[in-house]
Amino acid sequence: MKGFAWTSAPDLAAALRAGSATVAATMAAAPGPAAANAVILKAGGIDLLDLMKEGLLAPQRIVNLRGIPELGRIAEEPGGALRIGAMVTLAQLAGDPLIRARYGALAQAAGGSASPQIRHVATLGGNLLQRPRCWYFRSIHHDCARKGGRQCFAFMGENQYHAIFGQYGCAIVHPSTAATALVAFDASVELVGARGARRTVALENFLLGPEVDLQRENALAPGEILTAVLLPAPKPGVRSFHLRQGELDSFDWPIADVAVVLELGRDGACRRAGVVLGAAAPVPYRARGAESALAGQRIAEGTARSAAIAALAGATPLAKNAYKVPVFEALVRRAILGAAGQA
Amino acid sequence: MVGAGIIMTDGITRRQFLKGTGAAMSGVAALEAGLGAVAGAAQAAAVDAAAGTSPVEIVLDVNGARRRVAVEPQATLAEVLRGPLNLTGTKIGCDRGACSACTVWIDRVPVASCMMLAIDVGDRPVVTIEGLARGEQLHPVQAAFIAHDAIQCGFCTPGLVMSCAALLETNPAPSLDDVKAATSGHLCRCGTYPHAFAAVLDAAKSAKG
Amino acid sequence: MRAPGNVPGAYALEQMIDELAIRLAMDPLALRDRIDLSAVRREERRVGAARFGWSRRRAPGSDAGPVKRGLGMAQSYWGANVNTNAACEVRILRDGSVEILSSVQDIGTGIGTLLAQVVAEEMGLRPEEIVVRIGDTDFPAGPPSYGSITTASITPPARNAAWRALRELFEAAAPALGAPPENLIAKGGRIATADNARSLSFREAAATLRTDRISVVASRADDYGGFARKMGDSASARNALGGVQFAQVAVDVETGIVRVERVVAVQDCGRPMNPRQIESQVHGGVLMGMSYALCEERLLDRRTGHVLNADLEHYKIGRSREVPEIEMILLENYQGTSATDAYGIAEPANVATAPAIANAVFNAIGVRARQLPMTPATILAALGRIPGGRARA
Ligand SMILES: Cc1cc2nc3c(=O)[nH]c(=O)nc-3n(C[C@H](O)[C@H](O)[C@H](O)COP(=O)(O)OP(=O)(O)OC[C@H]3O[C@@H](n4cnc5c(N)ncnc54)[C@H](O)[C@@H]3O)c2cc1C
Ligand code: SF4
Ligand code: FES
Ligand code: FES
């Protein structure tokens, strides 16, 4: 790791004054003065240290967000919506009684990520903003398209853990497991700009696929700080489930993960379904086919099975990751049944 | 090795010599580990004044003692513990958060010290493997690890013990699955898991009984 | 990896034997009883099958749900190898302390404990009373730590050196005990006359030494009756080592996930010196074998020549949740060929695991994974469940 200057921001205003650059823009500008002079925000620091140790990022200054109390709170808003501060850790998310009761899939997704040691430090904001885990992207030896190079090494190379949908010039899967669940719950993110202006964006729109921008995974603007994630108040009859499958059960990135949110009526029929696939595409992949297959149906083995097949329709696997298709089919079916309490 | 022409006669052991080199490489300079109560805020202010790679003086609360040490901003907690603070029980396996060999407690919770900057610890108490025993009295998990031969090369052991001891703090009667979950971030290449699991379950039982 | 070379070879051979048995409509154990001449392996199969419950084995695909269980077994063969450039020094000091010195190094296998055990047993002391000094090349040459040769190479000289040092102590202490040295014994921390009529504590006996210390160096002698082969410092004992392992797996045919639920490992290593340490080595062998079978793979980018998973995140190794129930049965196979009669364990315990798992996978799902590791991609391809896909080859 290269040296840097260090600032602990005591409050949000101080952090905003620091004039931070995004990691994506900084990496795209490297090598060059813009990259060397960059001021970068640090939350838990897990992804930041990883990038810096690999020699992929060497900011001039790091601004620590850890000392800003207002970013670390989970609070219920009037009307029942939930506001989760960006600095809330994955461990807190997994253990929070309210989240477990109302947004079970989110607690499951956060609790299944990484290792206990990482979850105790990694924050929700940092988790959503972490850079992709593609091994070519993480290697200084491969100047790939996402880093401003000319080619995607994954298309012709080792792509067993890459995307099966939406690989427009880049085949990453979005690294955040929590995002899978958050998109299924229609969460949004709250951002504060350098001049203090607040905006709220649906997470689904905040995360960007390569067809929109090949070099960044989200719409974070320079100087902006992600302050909170907002979850809408749960509708009556909502049940949710998150399932992940790694090659290993202990500490492994998922090869596939699925979040299902079902809004069940009194009659047991599904009014509305959210079905989102993680580790499937450059952004959390909303399986609209599955969602409409479930709408108006009673949940049973058969409906779940056809929804699972619909979810995978249109998949475009690469040479080494077609195995993900049957894995996802099984997971979608099981997660639907899990959400309906029939697993 | 000594045979390579380095003869140390002035009381520096080979280990200290190697350690010194390691610390220099990782950008950590040792200051006298004296005491001195620097208030948290003053410390933060001093830290903020740091620019570039020049060392900053911080005070770490390690194993109940306040240790003053000069660190460069990029030094990880693991490097500072092993280098200037001479607490080499904490091991660095992967240096990327992927093996948990470097596990220590911060605020009594296990974290990967290789993925935490020393400068970011602040006044939160750190406990390392050296701080687990009460004097000569081993922590029940340590004693159980010895009794069950849950140690082979020992490289993963300090971290594993820290996770298992932390588990018993919050869950005094864990199931085997609880132990597996608490240790799921650890890598033990030697395969001590079965003996380690038995040791933790045993330690839990003996603590109760 | 442990047992380099042997594991891939056994993975192929042991599956072929399994396949042959199935073609012949024979129980794999019965086929091995016909073709395997080793009496040791035969006994290992017998005790292992009984403990494991081999008779529960069913036809492939017997489970109705997506998770299919299967049982399999495989064997290992490992040369009982010795390094003859293995020596140690045993010292008795006039203050009563006893030291053993050798450049042999302990990389986690516990050789330090064994050396203390051997010297202590010879001298009638407790192991914790022996000072073990190892890992320094200034000391007499120890064996290297590979090939599962350490225990077999260095414990016999430890016993011989201790025995001779003790004779010197007897010489010194004989006058004080009023008995000829050949009538003295060492027992329970005392040097005593054979009839136990008179005795001195070990420390008192050591105080009779004329010099501050006595010291004996011994090296690894040839096995009694000679070795089967010798080349330079390397030698192989006449009888090889091995083991038989049984595995139970659960295969999810929808996700391709294989989990190992139980392993019974029957192993032999001559005279077992420290069963708990042997168990640790067997755990390591089984877990490494399981990891090799299920997930370990070095991935090289063919176009740029870089290893893509040279880290502990993407080079996958089974961890806590992958650990099956492991039971070890030690077959004590005394041969009387050296002063300790001990041979190696770490690698022979590793060789049979992956093929035992592969044979169990076949028994679960009725198709063979001819590719390693048995990841979901491998298993789903073998099952023909990948749309438009072909087996990774
Ligand atoms: C071995 C290993 C395994 C892992 N497995 C998983 C897994 O299974 N699933 C999963 O989801 N993740 C996994 N992770 C990734 C890990 O969860 C992320 O690295 C972590 O969540 C990042 O959070 P952080 O708080 O440490 O972020 P940081 O590293 O501090 O920040 C990440 C990025 O976000 C920016 N940033 C952070 N907070 C803000 C903010 N509030 N406003 C603006 N910008 C901000 C930073 O500038 C930086 O660019 C794994 C990581 C490791 C090391
Ligand atoms: S998948 Fe994306 S990040 Fe990976 S090599 Fe291709 S362009 Fe780069
Ligand atoms: S050294 Fe810190 S997790 Fe591996
Ligand atoms: S004891 Fe060697 S890695 Fe765990």
Side-chain angles (χ1 to χ4, degrees), chain A residues 252-278:
Chain A
D252 194 5
W253 288 87
I255 52 175
D257 75 280
V258 175
V260 170
V261 178
L262 299 177
E263 201 184 312
L264 298 179
R266 284 253 179 80
D267 56 353
C270 172
R271 287 210 204 111
R272 193 164 163 256
V275 179
V276 179
L277 278 49

Tab-separated table of all heavy atoms in Angstrom, chain A residues 252-278:
chain	number	residue	atom	x	y	z
A	252	ASP	N	-17.581	-18.270	1.215
A	252	ASP	CA	-17.331	-18.342	-0.223
A	252	ASP	C	-18.294	-17.361	-0.875
A	252	ASP	O	-19.406	-17.163	-0.401
A	252	ASP	CB	-17.597	-19.769	-0.729
A	252	ASP	CG	-17.030	-19.991	-2.125
A	252	ASP	OD1	-16.354	-19.082	-2.645
A	252	ASP	OD2	-17.269	-21.076	-2.689
A	253	TRP	N	-17.874	-16.752	-1.949
A	253	TRP	CA	-18.788	-15.912	-2.701
A	253	TRP	C	-19.872	-16.796	-3.283
A	253	TRP	O	-19.598	-17.935	-3.675
A	253	TRP	CB	-18.043	-15.205	-3.834
A	253	TRP	CG	-17.143	-14.146	-3.322
A	253	TRP	CD1	-15.857	-14.295	-2.908
A	253	TRP	CD2	-17.471	-12.761	-3.149
A	253	TRP	NE1	-15.365	-13.085	-2.482
A	253	TRP	CE2	-16.329	-12.127	-2.623
A	253	TRP	CE3	-18.614	-12.001	-3.379
A	253	TRP	CZ2	-16.286	-10.762	-2.329
A	253	TRP	CZ3	-18.577	-10.650	-3.087
A	253	TRP	CH2	-17.425	-10.033	-2.562
A	254	PRO	N	-21.094	-16.307	-3.366
A	254	PRO	CA	-22.131	-17.144	-3.959
A	254	PRO	C	-21.890	-17.350	-5.461
A	254	PRO	O	-21.428	-16.435	-6.137
A	254	PRO	CB	-23.421	-16.347	-3.710
A	254	PRO	CG	-23.001	-14.951	-3.412
A	254	PRO	CD	-21.600	-15.009	-2.882
A	255	ILE	N	-22.181	-18.555	-5.949
A	255	ILE	CA	-22.238	-18.745	-7.401
A	255	ILE	C	-23.628	-18.326	-7.875
A	255	ILE	O	-23.827	-18.017	-9.046
A	255	ILE	CB	-21.928	-20.204	-7.820
A	255	ILE	CG1	-22.795	-21.210	-7.064
A	255	ILE	CG2	-20.448	-20.513	-7.629
A	255	ILE	CD1	-22.610	-22.653	-7.517
A	256	ALA	N	-24.548	-18.316	-6.949
A	256	ALA	CA	-25.919	-17.898	-7.261
A	256	ALA	C	-26.580	-17.492	-5.958
A	256	ALA	O	-26.356	-18.133	-4.932
A	256	ALA	CB	-26.698	-19.058	-7.881
A	257	ASP	N	-27.353	-16.409	-5.977
A	257	ASP	CA	-28.186	-16.114	-4.818
A	257	ASP	C	-29.479	-15.491	-5.293
A	257	ASP	O	-29.533	-14.861	-6.357
A	257	ASP	CB	-27.443	-15.278	-3.770
A	257	ASP	CG	-27.258	-13.815	-4.135
A	257	ASP	OD1	-26.335	-13.529	-4.921
A	257	ASP	OD2	-28.017	-12.965	-3.628
A	258	VAL	N	-30.523	-15.730	-4.536
A	258	VAL	CA	-31.866	-15.342	-4.967
A	258	VAL	C	-32.619	-14.742	-3.787
A	258	VAL	O	-32.591	-15.303	-2.695
A	258	VAL	CB	-32.650	-16.576	-5.492
A	258	VAL	CG1	-34.096	-16.194	-5.815
A	258	VAL	CG2	-31.970	-17.171	-6.715
A	259	ALA	N	-33.275	-13.599	-4.021
A	259	ALA	CA	-34.159	-13.031	-3.005
A	259	ALA	C	-35.580	-13.027	-3.557
A	259	ALA	O	-35.802	-12.641	-4.709
A	259	ALA	CB	-33.745	-11.610	-2.657
A	260	VAL	N	-36.501	-13.475	-2.736
A	260	VAL	CA	-37.906	-13.494	-3.140
A	260	VAL	C	-38.717	-12.754	-2.080
A	260	VAL	O	-38.552	-13.000	-0.886
A	260	VAL	CB	-38.415	-14.947	-3.291
A	260	VAL	CG1	-39.932	-14.980	-3.474
A	260	VAL	CG2	-37.715	-15.635	-4.457
A	261	VAL	N	-39.564	-11.825	-2.529
A	261	VAL	CA	-40.478	-11.123	-1.628
A	261	VAL	C	-41.887	-11.366	-2.162
A	261	VAL	O	-42.176	-11.043	-3.319
A	261	VAL	CB	-40.178	-9.609	-1.586
A	261	VAL	CG1	-41.175	-8.897	-0.677
A	261	VAL	CG2	-38.751	-9.356	-1.119
A	262	LEU	N	-42.707	-11.962	-1.341
A	262	LEU	CA	-44.077	-12.268	-1.783
A	262	LEU	C	-45.066	-11.468	-0.944
A	262	LEU	O	-44.927	-11.374	0.274
A	262	LEU	CB	-44.385	-13.755	-1.594
A	262	LEU	CG	-43.524	-14.778	-2.342
A	262	LEU	CD1	-43.954	-16.185	-1.950
A	262	LEU	CD2	-43.625	-14.574	-3.848
A	263	GLU	N	-46.048	-10.901	-1.625
A	263	GLU	CA	-47.138	-10.244	-0.911
A	263	GLU	C	-48.339	-11.163	-1.069
A	263	GLU	O	-48.906	-11.262	-2.154
A	263	GLU	CB	-47.385	-8.893	-1.599
A	263	GLU	CG	-48.088	-7.877	-0.764
A	263	GLU	CD	-48.354	-6.623	-1.609
A	263	GLU	OE1	-47.420	-6.141	-2.282
A	263	GLU	OE2	-49.514	-6.181	-1.616
A	264	LEU	N	-48.678	-11.852	0.015
A	264	LEU	CA	-49.727	-12.855	-0.088
A	264	LEU	C	-51.041	-12.288	0.446
A	264	LEU	O	-51.068	-11.665	1.514
A	264	LEU	CB	-49.352	-14.103	0.713
A	264	LEU	CG	-48.080	-14.843	0.257
A	264	LEU	CD1	-47.821	-16.049	1.162
A	264	LEU	CD2	-48.192	-15.287	-1.200
A	265	GLY	N	-52.107	-12.515	-0.295
A	265	GLY	CA	-53.423	-12.067	0.152
A	265	GLY	C	-53.988	-13.024	1.193
A	265	GLY	O	-53.418	-14.084	1.467
A	266	ARG	N	-55.140	-12.645	1.766
A	266	ARG	CA	-55.802	-13.498	2.763
A	266	ARG	C	-56.140	-14.858	2.178
A	266	ARG	O	-56.120	-15.866	2.857
A	266	ARG	CB	-57.109	-12.820	3.209
A	266	ARG	CG	-56.885	-11.660	4.156
A	266	ARG	CD	-57.313	-12.065	5.590
A	266	ARG	NE	-57.073	-10.955	6.504
A	266	ARG	CZ	-57.909	-9.917	6.617
A	266	ARG	NH1	-59.035	-9.891	5.936
A	266	ARG	NH2	-57.630	-8.948	7.445
A	267	ASP	N	-56.450	-14.851	0.891
A	267	ASP	CA	-56.841	-16.102	0.224
A	267	ASP	C	-55.633	-16.963	-0.124
A	267	ASP	O	-55.756	-18.010	-0.738
A	267	ASP	CB	-57.622	-15.766	-1.056
A	267	ASP	CG	-56.825	-14.862	-1.991
A	267	ASP	OD1	-55.721	-14.389	-1.575
A	267	ASP	OD2	-57.274	-14.633	-3.126
A	268	GLY	N	-54.445	-16.488	0.217
A	268	GLY	CA	-53.243	-17.277	-0.077
A	268	GLY	C	-52.688	-16.999	-1.450
A	268	GLY	O	-51.600	-17.485	-1.789
A	269	ALA	N	-53.379	-16.232	-2.258
A	269	ALA	CA	-52.862	-15.940	-3.598
A	269	ALA	C	-51.811	-14.835	-3.507
A	269	ALA	O	-51.857	-13.987	-2.623
A	269	ALA	CB	-53.994	-15.510	-4.512
A	270	CYS	N	-50.900	-14.862	-4.460
A	270	CYS	CA	-49.799	-13.914	-4.441
A	270	CYS	C	-50.224	-12.649	-5.168
A	270	CYS	O	-50.538	-12.671	-6.355
A	270	CYS	CB	-48.600	-14.560	-5.120
A	270	CYS	SG	-47.246	-13.423	-5.372
A	271	ARG	N	-50.276	-11.521	-4.447
A	271	ARG	CA	-50.679	-10.268	-5.089
A	271	ARG	C	-49.538	-9.713	-5.909
A	271	ARG	O	-49.732	-9.202	-7.001
A	271	ARG	CB	-51.056	-9.244	-4.025
A	271	ARG	CG	-52.373	-9.585	-3.388
A	271	ARG	CD	-53.093	-8.325	-2.938
A	271	ARG	NE	-53.989	-8.742	-1.879
A	271	ARG	CZ	-53.818	-8.412	-0.613
A	271	ARG	NH1	-52.852	-7.609	-0.240
A	271	ARG	NH2	-54.644	-8.870	0.296
A	272	ARG	N	-48.361	-9.794	-5.313
A	272	ARG	CA	-47.230	-9.202	-5.996
A	272	ARG	C	-45.989	-9.963	-5.570
A	272	ARG	O	-45.874	-10.387	-4.418
A	272	ARG	CB	-47.116	-7.726	-5.578
A	272	ARG	CG	-46.198	-6.958	-6.447
A	272	ARG	CD	-46.387	-5.448	-6.283
A	272	ARG	NE	-45.191	-4.847	-6.862
A	272	ARG	CZ	-44.192	-4.352	-6.160
A	272	ARG	NH1	-44.245	-4.327	-4.849
A	272	ARG	NH2	-43.126	-3.866	-6.773
A	273	ALA	N	-45.065	-10.141	-6.497
A	273	ALA	CA	-43.846	-10.876	-6.158
A	273	ALA	C	-42.632	-10.087	-6.606
A	273	ALA	O	-42.651	-9.434	-7.652
A	273	ALA	CB	-43.854	-12.247	-6.836
A	274	GLY	N	-41.605	-10.129	-5.808
A	274	GLY	CA	-40.295	-9.614	-6.215
A	274	GLY	C	-39.335	-10.789	-6.265
A	274	GLY	O	-39.204	-11.533	-5.287
A	275	VAL	N	-38.728	-11.019	-7.416
A	275	VAL	CA	-37.779	-12.125	-7.554
A	275	VAL	C	-36.506	-11.547	-8.152
A	275	VAL	O	-36.521	-11.032	-9.274
A	275	VAL	CB	-38.331	-13.246	-8.471
A	275	VAL	CG1	-37.303	-14.367	-8.614
A	275	VAL	CG2	-39.647	-13.791	-7.935
A	276	VAL	N	-35.432	-11.580	-7.385
A	276	VAL	CA	-34.192	-10.965	-7.845
A	276	VAL	C	-33.043	-11.959	-7.712
A	276	VAL	O	-32.924	-12.668	-6.701
A	276	VAL	CB	-33.888	-9.669	-7.050
A	276	VAL	CG1	-32.581	-9.039	-7.511
A	276	VAL	CG2	-35.039	-8.669	-7.204
A	277	LEU	N	-32.213	-12.010	-8.757
A	277	LEU	CA	-31.079	-12.931	-8.793
A	277	LEU	C	-29.781	-12.154	-8.584
A	277	LEU	O	-29.541	-11.142	-9.250
A	277	LEU	CB	-31.021	-13.641	-10.169
A	277	LEU	CG	-31.927	-14.852	-10.418
A	277	LEU	CD1	-33.369	-14.579	-10.027
A	277	LEU	CD2	-31.829	-15.298	-11.865
A	278	GLY	N	-28.969	-12.628	-7.653
A	278	GLY	CA	-27.638	-12.054	-7.447
A	278	GLY	C	-26.602	-12.982	-8.048
A	278	GLY	O	-26.892	-14.155	-8.317
